[in-house]
Structure formats: structure tokens, C-alpha cells
């Protein structure tokens, strides 16, 4: 499931317990990611799913769920 894998990737990168990363977690406010963390996350997402994330699309990512929805729309 995409959500579970995204949660694992974010938790690993941010050194968090995966249970603290939920679909509703806000990437910057709740998880504490800065702009470099976001870029690194998206590079990992691109590698993991073989997709390209446009800079314009990246600005729309505010929650874990928004990242998951984007990935799912690209891999269908």
C-alpha cells in the first residue's frame, strides 16, 4: 500500500517512529520537515515509484495524504 510505504520513508528520513506519521500529518508543521527535507523526500519518492514530481506539483504537498494521492494518480 502506498500510504504505508510513504509513512515508512518519511519516518526513516526524519528519524521518527512510523506510528507518529499519519495520513493527516502535515509535512512541515507536524513532521518538522524543512525545504531540504521535502526535496529529499520527493527524490526518494521519484526513485521508489519511478515517477517525476514537477516543482509546481511539489508545492501542493501539505500532508502525507496529499503525497500519497499524487503518487497514486501517477502510477495508475
Amino acid at each position: 500500500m502506498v500510504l504505508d510505504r510513504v509513512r515508512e520513508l518519511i519516518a526513516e528520513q526524519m528519524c521518527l517512529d512510523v506510528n507518529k506519521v499519519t495520513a493527516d500529518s502535515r509535512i512541515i508543521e507536524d513532521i518538522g520537515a524543512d525545504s531540504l527535507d521535502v526535496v529529499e523526500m520527493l527524490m526518494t519518492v521519484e526513485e521508489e515509484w519511478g515517477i517525476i514530481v514537477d516543482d509546481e506539483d511539489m508545492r501542493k504537498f501539505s500532508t502525507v495524504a496529499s503525497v500519497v494521492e499524487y503518487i497514486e494518480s501517477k502510477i495508475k
Side-chain angles (χ1 to χ4, degrees):
M1 180 177 213
V2 176
L3 174 59
D4 292 335
R5 185 64 182 138
V6 170
R7 289 177 58 228
E8 290 169 2
L9 292 171
I10 291 172
E12 183 178 315
Q13 180 182 343
M14 299 301 295
C15 300
L16 297 171
D17 180 332
V18 71
N19 294 318
K20 294 188 183 267
V21 180
T22 68
D24 295 329
S25 295
R26 295 172 297 171
I27 295 170
I28 294 172
E29 296 87 347
D30 298 332
I31 295 174
D34 61 22
S35 58
L36 180 58
D37 293 324
V38 171
V39 169
E40 290 175 356
M41 278 183 224
L42 294 177
M43 288 172 55
T44 302
V45 163
E46 288 177 331
E47 186 176 309
E48 181 85 12
W49 282 278
I51 61 175
I52 301 297
V53 179
D54 296 323
D55 290 342
E56 187 69 29
D57 292 333
M58 182 176 71
R59 292 184 183 99
K60 299 174 187 173
F61 300 150
S62 58
T63 64
V64 173
S66 64
V67 176
V68 170
E69 289 167 11
Y70 181 83
I71 293 167
E72 288 176 340
S73 75
K74 293 293 185 180
I75 62 173
K76 287 187 177 185

Coordinates of all heavy atoms in Angstrom, one line a residue:
M1 N 0.9 -1.2 0.0 CA 0.0 0.0 0.0 C 0.9 1.2 0.0 O 1.9 1.3 0.8 CB -0.9 0.0 1.2 CG -1.8 1.1 1.3 SD -2.9 0.9 2.8 CE -4.3 1.7 2.2
V2 N 0.5 2.2 -0.8 CA 1.4 3.4 -1.0 C 1.5 4.2 0.3 O 2.6 4.6 0.7 CB 0.8 4.3 -2.1 CG1 1.6 5.6 -2.2 CG2 0.8 3.5 -3.5
L3 N 0.4 4.3 1.0 CA 0.4 5.1 2.3 C 1.4 4.5 3.2 O 2.2 5.3 3.8 CB -1.0 5.2 2.9 CG -1.1 5.8 4.3 CD1 -0.6 7.3 4.2 CD2 -2.5 5.8 4.8
D4 N 1.4 3.2 3.4 CA 2.3 2.6 4.4 C 3.7 2.8 4.0 O 4.6 3.1 4.9 CB 2.0 1.1 4.5 CG 0.7 0.8 5.2 OD1 0.2 1.7 5.9 OD2 0.1 -0.2 4.9
R5 N 4.0 2.7 2.7 CA 5.4 2.9 2.3 C 5.9 4.4 2.4 O 7.0 4.6 2.8 CB 5.6 2.4 0.8 CG 7.0 2.5 0.3 CD 7.9 1.5 1.1 NE 9.2 1.6 0.6 CZ 10.3 1.7 1.4 NH1 10.2 1.5 2.7 NH2 11.5 1.8 0.9
V6 N 5.0 5.3 2.1 CA 5.3 6.7 2.2 C 5.6 7.0 3.7 O 6.5 7.7 4.1 CB 4.2 7.6 1.6 CG1 4.4 9.1 2.0 CG2 4.2 7.5 0.1
R7 N 4.7 6.5 4.6 CA 4.9 6.7 6.0 C 6.3 6.2 6.5 O 7.0 6.8 7.2 CB 3.8 6.1 6.8 CG 2.5 6.8 6.7 CD 1.3 6.0 7.4 NE 1.6 5.9 8.8 CZ 1.5 4.8 9.5 NH1 1.1 3.7 8.9 NH2 1.8 4.7 10.8
E8 N 6.6 5.0 6.0 CA 7.9 4.4 6.4 C 9.1 5.3 5.9 O 10.0 5.5 6.6 CB 8.1 3.0 5.7 CG 7.2 2.0 6.4 CD 7.2 0.7 5.6 OE1 7.9 0.5 4.5 OE2 6.4 -0.2 6.0
L9 N 9.0 5.7 4.6 CA 10.1 6.5 4.1 C 10.3 7.8 4.8 O 11.4 8.3 5.1 CB 9.8 6.8 2.6 CG 9.9 5.6 1.6 CD1 9.4 6.0 0.3 CD2 11.3 5.1 1.6
I10 N 9.1 8.5 5.1 CA 9.2 9.8 5.9 C 9.7 9.5 7.3 O 10.6 10.3 7.8 CB 7.8 10.5 5.9 CG1 7.5 10.9 4.5 CG2 7.8 11.6 6.9 CD1 6.1 11.5 4.4
A11 N 9.3 8.5 7.9 CA 9.7 8.2 9.3 C 11.2 7.9 9.3 O 11.9 8.4 10.2 CB 8.9 7.0 9.9
E12 N 11.7 7.2 8.4 CA 13.1 6.8 8.3 C 13.9 8.1 8.1 O 14.9 8.3 8.7 CB 13.3 5.8 7.2 CG 14.8 5.4 7.0 CD 14.9 4.4 5.9 OE1 14.1 3.4 5.8 OE2 15.9 4.5 5.2
Q13 N 13.5 8.9 7.1 CA 14.3 10.1 6.8 C 14.3 11.1 8.0 O 15.3 11.7 8.2 CB 13.7 10.8 5.6 CG 14.5 12.1 5.2 CD 13.9 12.8 4.0 OE1 13.1 12.3 3.3 NE2 14.3 14.0 3.9
M14 N 13.2 11.2 8.6 CA 13.1 12.2 9.7 C 13.4 11.6 11.1 O 13.2 12.3 12.1 CB 11.7 12.8 9.7 CG 11.3 13.6 8.4 SD 12.4 14.9 8.0 CE 12.1 16.0 9.4
C15 N 13.8 10.4 11.1 CA 14.1 9.7 12.4 C 13.0 9.7 13.4 O 13.1 10.1 14.5 CB 15.4 10.3 13.0 SG 16.8 10.2 12.0
L16 N 11.8 9.4 12.9 CA 10.6 9.3 13.7 C 10.1 7.9 13.8 O 10.3 7.1 12.9 CB 9.5 10.2 13.0 CG 9.8 11.7 12.9 CD1 8.7 12.3 12.1 CD2 9.8 12.3 14.3
D17 N 9.3 7.7 14.8 CA 8.5 6.4 14.9 C 7.5 6.5 13.8 O 6.7 7.5 13.7 CB 7.9 6.3 16.3 CG 7.1 5.1 16.5 OD1 6.5 4.5 15.5 OD2 6.9 4.6 17.7
V18 N 7.4 5.4 13.0 CA 6.4 5.4 11.9 C 5.0 5.6 12.4 O 4.1 6.2 11.7 CB 6.5 4.1 11.1 CG1 6.0 2.9 11.9 CG2 5.9 4.2 9.7
N19 N 4.7 5.3 13.6 CA 3.3 5.5 14.2 C 3.0 6.9 14.4 O 1.8 7.3 14.6 CB 3.1 4.7 15.5 CG 3.2 3.2 15.2 OD1 2.7 2.7 14.2 ND2 3.9 2.5 16.1
K20 N 4.0 7.8 14.4 CA 3.8 9.2 14.5 C 3.5 9.9 13.2 O 3.2 11.1 13.2 CB 5.0 9.9 15.2 CG 5.1 9.4 16.7 CD 6.2 10.2 17.4 CE 6.4 9.7 18.8 NZ 5.6 10.3 19.8
V21 N 3.7 9.2 12.1 CA 3.4 9.7 10.8 C 2.1 9.1 10.3 O 2.0 7.9 10.0 CB 4.6 9.3 9.8 CG1 4.3 9.9 8.4 CG2 5.9 9.8 10.4
T22 N 1.1 10.0 10.2 CA -0.2 9.5 9.7 C -0.6 10.2 8.4 O 0.1 11.1 8.0 CB -1.3 9.9 10.7 OG1 -1.4 11.3 10.8 CG2 -1.0 9.3 12.1
A23 N -1.6 9.8 7.8 CA -2.1 10.4 6.5 C -2.4 11.9 6.7 O -2.1 12.7 5.8 CB -3.3 9.7 6.0
D24 N -2.8 12.2 7.9 CA -3.2 13.6 8.2 C -2.0 14.5 8.6 O -2.2 15.7 8.8 CB -4.3 13.7 9.2 CG -5.6 13.1 8.7 OD1 -5.9 13.2 7.5 OD2 -6.3 12.5 9.5
S25 N -0.9 13.9 8.9 CA 0.3 14.6 9.3 C 0.7 15.7 8.3 O 0.8 15.4 7.1 CB 1.5 13.7 9.5 OG 1.3 12.8 10.6
R26 N 0.9 16.9 8.8 CA 1.3 18.0 7.9 C 2.9 17.9 7.8 O 3.5 17.8 8.9 CB 0.9 19.3 8.5 CG -0.6 19.5 8.4 CD -1.1 20.7 9.1 NE -0.7 20.6 10.5 CZ -0.8 21.6 11.4 NH1 -1.3 22.8 11.0 NH2 -0.5 21.5 12.7
I27 N 3.4 17.9 6.6 CA 4.8 17.6 6.4 C 5.7 18.6 7.2 O 6.7 18.2 7.8 CB 5.1 17.6 4.9 CG1 4.3 16.4 4.3 CG2 6.6 17.5 4.6 CD1 4.3 16.4 2.8
I28 N 5.4 19.9 7.1 CA 6.2 20.9 7.7 C 5.9 21.1 9.2 O 6.7 21.0 10.1 CB 6.2 22.2 6.9 CG1 6.8 22.0 5.6 CG2 6.9 23.3 7.7 CD1 6.7 23.1 4.6
E29 N 4.6 21.3 9.4 CA 4.1 21.7 10.8 C 4.2 20.5 11.8 O 4.7 20.7 12.9 CB 2.7 22.2 10.8 CG 2.6 23.5 10.0 CD 2.3 23.4 8.5 OE1 2.5 22.2 8.0 OE2 2.0 24.3 7.8
D30 N 3.8 19.3 11.4 CA 3.7 18.2 12.3 C 5.0 17.4 12.3 O 5.4 16.9 13.3 CB 2.5 17.3 12.0 CG 1.2 18.1 12.1 OD1 1.1 19.0 12.9 OD2 0.2 17.7 11.4
I31 N 5.5 17.1 11.1 CA 6.7 16.3 11.0 C 8.0 17.0 11.2 O 9.0 16.5 11.6 CB 6.7 15.6 9.6 CG1 5.4 14.6 9.6 CG2 7.9 14.8 9.4 CD1 5.2 14.0 8.2
G32 N 7.9 18.3 11.0 CA 9.1 19.2 11.2 C 10.1 19.2 10.1 O 11.3 19.6 10.2
A33 N 9.6 18.9 8.9 CA 10.5 18.9 7.7 C 10.8 20.3 7.3 O 9.9 21.2 7.3 CB 9.9 18.1 6.5
D34 N 12.0 20.6 6.8 CA 12.3 21.9 6.2 C 12.4 21.7 4.7 O 12.1 20.6 4.2 CB 13.6 22.5 6.7 CG 14.8 21.6 6.5 OD1 14.8 20.8 5.6 OD2 15.8 21.7 7.2
S35 N 12.7 22.7 3.9 CA 12.6 22.6 2.5 C 13.6 21.6 1.9 O 13.3 20.9 1.0 CB 12.9 24.0 1.8 OG 14.1 24.5 2.2
L36 N 14.7 21.4 2.5 CA 15.7 20.4 2.1 C 15.1 19.0 2.3 O 15.3 18.1 1.5 CB 17.1 20.6 2.8 CG 18.1 19.6 2.4 CD1 18.4 19.6 0.9 CD2 19.4 19.9 3.2
D37 N 14.5 18.8 3.5 CA 13.9 17.5 3.8 C 12.8 17.2 2.8 O 12.7 16.0 2.3 CB 13.2 17.5 5.2 CG 14.2 17.6 6.3 OD1 15.3 17.1 6.2 OD2 13.9 18.3 7.3
V38 N 12.0 18.2 2.4 CA 11.0 17.9 1.4 C 11.6 17.5 0.1 O 11.1 16.6 -0.6 CB 10.1 19.2 1.3 CG1 9.1 19.0 0.1 CG2 9.3 19.5 2.5
V39 N 12.6 18.2 -0.4 CA 13.3 17.9 -1.6 C 13.8 16.4 -1.6 O 13.6 15.6 -2.5 CB 14.4 18.9 -2.0 CG1 15.2 18.4 -3.1 CG2 13.8 20.2 -2.3
E40 N 14.5 16.1 -0.5 CA 15.0 14.7 -0.3 C 13.9 13.7 -0.3 O 14.0 12.6 -0.9 CB 15.8 14.6 1.0 CG 17.1 15.4 0.9 CD 17.9 15.4 2.2 OE1 17.4 14.9 3.2 OE2 19.0 16.0 2.2
M41 N 12.8 14.0 0.4 CA 11.6 13.1 0.4 C 11.1 12.8 -1.0 O 10.9 11.7 -1.4 CB 10.5 13.7 1.2 CG 10.6 13.5 2.7 SD 9.1 14.1 3.4 CE 9.8 15.0 4.8
L42 N 11.0 13.9 -1.8 CA 10.5 13.8 -3.1 C 11.4 13.1 -4.1 O 11.0 12.3 -4.9 CB 10.1 15.2 -3.7 CG 8.9 15.8 -2.9 CD1 8.6 17.2 -3.5 CD2 7.7 14.9 -3.0
M43 N 12.7 13.2 -3.9 CA 13.7 12.5 -4.6 C 13.6 11.0 -4.3 O 13.6 10.1 -5.2 CB 15.1 12.9 -4.3 CG 15.4 14.3 -4.9 SD 17.0 15.0 -4.4 CE 18.2 13.7 -4.8
T44 N 13.3 10.6 -3.1 CA 13.1 9.3 -2.7 C 11.8 8.7 -3.3 O 11.8 7.6 -3.8 CB 13.1 9.1 -1.1 OG1 14.3 9.6 -0.6 CG2 12.9 7.7 -0.7
V45 N 10.8 9.5 -3.3 CA 9.5 9.1 -3.9 C 9.7 8.9 -5.4 O 9.2 7.9 -5.9 CB 8.4 10.2 -3.7 CG1 7.2 10.0 -4.6 CG2 8.0 10.2 -2.2
E46 N 10.4 9.8 -6.1 CA 10.7 9.6 -7.5 C 11.4 8.3 -7.8 O 11.1 7.5 -8.7 CB 11.5 10.8 -8.1 CG 10.7 12.0 -8.1 CD 11.5 13.2 -8.6 OE1 12.7 13.3 -8.4 OE2 10.9 14.1 -9.2
E47 N 12.4 8.0 -7.0 CA 13.2 6.8 -7.1 C 12.3 5.5 -6.8 O 12.4 4.5 -7.5 CB 14.4 6.8 -6.2 CG 15.4 5.7 -6.4 CD 16.6 5.8 -5.6 OE1 17.2 6.9 -5.6 OE2 16.9 4.9 -4.9
E48 N 11.6 5.6 -5.7 CA 10.8 4.4 -5.3 C 9.7 4.0 -6.3 O 9.5 2.8 -6.6 CB 10.2 4.8 -3.9 CG 9.3 3.7 -3.4 CD 10.1 2.6 -2.5 OE1 11.3 2.9 -2.2 OE2 9.5 1.6 -2.2
W49 N 9.1 5.0 -6.9 CA 7.9 4.7 -7.8 C 8.2 5.0 -9.3 O 7.4 4.8 -10.1 CB 6.7 5.5 -7.3 CG 6.0 4.8 -6.2 CD1 5.2 3.7 -6.2 CD2 6.2 5.1 -4.8 NE1 4.8 3.3 -4.9 CE2 5.4 4.2 -4.0 CE3 6.9 6.1 -4.1 CZ2 5.4 4.2 -2.7 CZ3 6.9 6.1 -2.7 CH2 6.1 5.2 -2.0
G50 N 9.4 5.5 -9.6 CA 9.8 5.7 -10.9 C 9.0 6.8 -11.6 O 8.6 6.7 -12.8
I51 N 8.7 7.9 -10.8 CA 7.9 9.0 -11.4 C 8.8 10.3 -11.3 O 9.8 10.3 -10.6 CB 6.6 9.2 -10.6 CG1 6.8 9.5 -9.1 CG2 5.7 8.0 -10.8 CD1 5.5 9.8 -8.4
I52 N 8.3 11.3 -11.9 CA 8.9 12.6 -11.9 C 7.9 13.5 -11.2 O 6.8 13.6 -11.7 CB 9.3 13.1 -13.3 CG1 10.3 12.2 -14.0 CG2 9.9 14.5 -13.1 CD1 11.6 12.0 -13.3
V53 N 8.4 14.2 -10.2 CA 7.5 15.2 -9.5 C 7.9 16.6 -10.0 O 9.0 17.0 -9.8 CB 7.6 15.1 -8.0 CG1 6.8 16.1 -7.3 CG2 7.3 13.7 -7.5
D54 N 7.0 17.3 -10.6 CA 7.2 18.6 -11.1 C 7.3 19.6 -9.9 O 6.6 19.4 -8.9 CB 6.0 19.1 -12.0 CG 6.0 18.3 -13.3 OD1 7.0 17.9 -13.8 OD2 4.8 18.0 -13.7
D55 N 8.1 20.6 -10.0 CA 8.2 21.6 -9.0 C 6.9 22.3 -8.6 O 6.6 22.5 -7.5 CB 9.2 22.7 -9.4 CG 10.6 22.2 -9.4 OD1 10.9 21.2 -8.8 OD2 11.5 22.9 -10.1
E56 N 6.0 22.5 -9.6 CA 4.7 23.1 -9.4 C 3.9 22.1 -8.6 O 3.2 22.6 -7.7 CB 4.0 23.3 -10.8 CG 2.7 24.1 -10.7 CD 2.9 25.5 -10.2 OE1 4.0 26.1 -10.5 OE2 2.0 26.0 -9.6
D57 N 3.9 20.8 -8.9 CA 3.1 19.9 -8.1 C 3.6 19.7 -6.7 O 2.9 19.6 -5.8 CB 3.2 18.5 -8.8 CG 2.5 18.5 -10.1 OD1 1.5 19.3 -10.3 OD2 2.8 17.6 -11.0
M58 N 5.0 19.9 -6.5 CA 5.6 19.7 -5.2 C 5.0 20.8 -4.2 O 4.8 20.5 -3.0 CB 7.1 19.9 -5.3 CG 7.8 19.8 -4.0 SD 9.6 19.8 -4.2 CE 9.8 21.6 -4.6
R59 N 4.6 21.9 -4.7 CA 4.1 23.0 -3.8 C 2.7 22.6 -3.3 O 2.3 23.2 -2.3 CB 4.0 24.3 -4.6 CG 5.4 24.8 -5.0 CD 5.3 26.2 -5.7 NE 6.6 26.7 -6.0 CZ 7.1 26.5 -7.2 NH1 6.4 26.0 -8.2 NH2 8.3 27.0 -7.5
K60 N 2.1 21.7 -3.9 CA 0.7 21.3 -3.4 C 0.8 20.3 -2.2 O -0.2 20.0 -1.6 CB 0.0 20.6 -4.6 CG -0.2 21.6 -5.7 CD -0.9 20.8 -6.9 CE -0.9 21.7 -8.1 NZ -1.4 20.9 -9.3
F61 N 2.0 19.8 -2.0 CA 2.1 18.7 -0.9 C 2.1 19.4 0.5 O 3.1 20.0 0.8 CB 3.3 17.9 -1.1 CG 3.4 17.2 -2.4 CD1 4.6 16.9 -3.0 CD2 2.2 16.7 -3.0 CE1 4.7 16.2 -4.2 CE2 2.3 16.0 -4.2 CZ 3.5 15.8 -4.8
S62 N 1.0 19.2 1.2 CA 1.0 19.8 2.6 C 0.9 18.7 3.6 O 1.4 18.8 4.7 CB -0.2 20.7 2.7 OG -1.4 20.1 2.4
T63 N 0.3 17.6 3.2 CA 0.1 16.4 4.2 C 0.7 15.2 3.5 O 0.9 15.1 2.3 CB -1.4 16.2 4.5 OG1 -2.1 15.8 3.3 CG2 -2.0 17.4 5.1
V64 N 0.8 14.2 4.3 CA 1.3 12.8 3.8 C 0.2 12.3 2.8 O 0.6 11.8 1.8 CB 1.4 11.9 5.0 CG1 1.7 10.5 4.5 CG2 2.6 12.3 5.9
A65 N -1.0 12.5 3.1 CA -2.1 12.1 2.2 C -2.0 12.7 0.8 O -2.3 12.1 -0.2 CB -3.5 12.4 2.8
S66 N -1.6 14.0 0.8 CA -1.5 14.7 -0.5 C -0.4 14.1 -1.3 O -0.5 14.0 -2.6 CB -1.3 16.2 -0.3 OG -0.1 16.5 0.3
V67 N 0.7 13.7 -0.7 CA 1.8 13.0 -1.4 C 1.3 11.6 -1.9 O 1.5 11.3 -3.1 CB 3.0 12.8 -0.5 CG1 4.1 12.0 -1.2 CG2 3.5 14.2 0.0
V68 N 0.6 10.9 -1.1 CA 0.1 9.6 -1.5 C -0.9 9.7 -2.6 O -0.8 8.9 -3.6 CB -0.6 8.9 -0.3 CG1 -1.3 7.6 -0.7 CG2 0.4 8.6 0.8
E69 N -1.8 10.7 -2.6 CA -2.8 10.8 -3.7 C -2.0 11.2 -5.0 O -2.4 10.6 -6.1 CB -3.7 12.0 -3.3 CG -4.7 11.6 -2.3 CD -5.5 12.8 -1.7 OE1 -5.4 13.9 -2.3 OE2 -6.1 12.6 -0.7
Y70 N -1.0 12.0 -4.9 CA -0.2 12.3 -6.1 C 0.4 11.1 -6.7 O 0.4 10.8 -7.9 CB 0.8 13.4 -5.8 CG 1.6 13.8 -7.0 CD1 1.2 14.8 -7.8 CD2 2.9 13.2 -7.2 CE1 1.9 15.1 -8.9 CE2 3.7 13.6 -8.3 CZ 3.2 14.6 -9.2 OH 3.9 14.9 -10.3
I71 N 1.1 10.3 -5.8 CA 1.8 9.1 -6.3 C 0.8 8.1 -6.9 O 1.0 7.6 -8.0 CB 2.5 8.4 -5.1 CG1 3.6 9.2 -4.6 CG2 3.0 7.0 -5.6 CD1 4.2 8.7 -3.3
E72 N -0.4 7.9 -6.3 CA -1.4 7.0 -6.8 C -1.9 7.5 -8.2 O -2.2 6.7 -9.0 CB -2.5 6.8 -5.8 CG -2.1 6.0 -4.6 CD -3.1 5.9 -3.5 OE1 -4.1 6.7 -3.5 OE2 -3.0 4.9 -2.7
S73 N -2.0 8.8 -8.4 CA -2.5 9.3 -9.6 C -1.5 9.1 -10.7 O -1.8 8.9 -11.9 CB -2.9 10.8 -9.5 OG -1.7 11.6 -9.5
K74 N -0.2 9.0 -10.4 CA 0.9 8.9 -11.4 C 1.2 7.4 -11.7 O 1.6 7.1 -12.8 CB 2.2 9.5 -10.9 CG 2.1 11.0 -10.8 CD 2.0 11.6 -12.2 CE 2.0 13.1 -12.1 NZ 1.9 13.7 -13.4
I75 N 0.9 6.5 -10.8 CA 1.2 5.1 -11.1 C 0.1 4.3 -11.6 O 0.2 3.1 -11.9 CB 1.8 4.4 -9.8 CG1 0.8 4.4 -8.7 CG2 3.1 5.1 -9.4 CD1 1.3 3.6 -7.4
K76 N -1.1 4.9 -11.8 CA -2.2 4.1 -12.3 C -2.1 3.9 -13.8 O -1.5 4.6 -14.5 CB -3.5 4.9 -12.0 CG -3.9 4.7 -10.6 CD -5.2 5.3 -10.3 CE -5.5 5.0 -8.8 NZ -6.8 5.4 -8.4

